[in-house]
Amino acid sequence: MTPERPDPRSTDRDETILAWTTPAAALVAVTLGGIALAVAAVLAADATSRLLVGLAAAGLLGLAVLGFRQRPRLSVLTGARPRLVVRTLLGADEYTADRILRARVVSFRRLGRTMPTLELDVERDGSERLLIFSRWDLGTDPVVVYQDLIAAMRLSGDTAR
């Protein structure tokens, strides 16, 4: 979680931002891996190797672009009227506390480990959407983000299940 800091666009002087995002170092490592694979694809001896390594390079570079485009992935603008901001590929979506239908942490077993994810059910344009955030998206433990989100958005016990 990044430290709280004032929002320069804010009209409310008491407003701060809590933000969670994929670490920049991880995205840089993914970018470097994609570049290394692209070079390996160019230097590959046969067409099949060029195709497969080139696809892997494109996938890694696409993941890096997506990660950089969505920074910060999840943020909360606190203050008199707290808002949740979720960055996507097409831009940012804002949700007030009354548009968050449910917030919870769900754990799944994966490769012999329990992996928690933050799930948010939100109302957008008259329909319900499910937003799922993993540790990769948030850069920290989803349980910690859940607790901070509940406190910052002032969600009731009925919303936070």
Side-chain angles (χ1 to χ4, degrees), residues 105-124:
V105 174
V106 178
S107 296
F108 295 99
R109 294 212 32 99
R110 188 176 196 181
L111 300 174
R113 295 181 58 203
T114 302
M115 308 297 283
T117 58
L118 175 65
E119 290 187 358
L120 300 174
D121 287 314
V122 297
E123 184 272 320
R124 180 177 177 213

Side-chain angles (χ1 to χ4, degrees), residues 2-3 11 23 26 40 52 59 80 108-109 118 121 125 133 152 159:
T2 60
T11 57
L52 292 177
F108 295 99
R109 294 212 32 99
L118 175 65
D121 287 314
D125 299 331
F133 303 96
T159 303

Side-chain angles (χ1 to χ4, degrees), residues 6-128:
D7 182 10
R9 301 163 292 163
S10 172
T11 57
D12 183 4
R13 293 292 175 200
D14 295 332
E15 194 169 84
T16 58
I17 298 177
L18 297 173
W20 301 273
T21 189
T22 305
L27 292 174
V28 168
V30 169
T31 303
L32 294 174
I35 291 170
L37 283 176
V39 169
V42 170
L43 299 176
D46 61 283
T48 306
S49 297
R50 276 194 294 276
L51 175 67
L52 292 177
V53 176
L55 287 174
L60 278 180
L61 292 173
L63 182 64
V65 167
L66 184 65
F68 281 117
R69 170 77 174 107
Q70 295 179 345
R71 289 181 60 92
R73 183 73 170 108
L74 183 69
S75 57
V76 175
L77 305 174
T78 63
R81 195 175 140 250
R83 298 174 312 280
L84 174 69
V85 179
V86 179
R87 295 279 312 228
T88 64
L89 185 60
L90 301 177
D93 295 325
E94 281 193 14
Y95 302 98
T96 55
D98 60 328
R99 291 178 56 201
I100 299 174
L101 305 175
R102 183 184 342 197
R104 64 184 178 169
V105 174
V106 178
S107 296
F108 295 99
R109 294 212 32 99
R110 188 176 196 181
L111 300 174
R113 295 181 58 203
T114 302
M115 308 297 283
T117 58
L118 175 65
E119 290 187 358
L120 300 174
D121 287 314
V122 297
E123 184 272 320
R124 180 177 177 213
D125 299 331
S127 64
E128 188 175 326

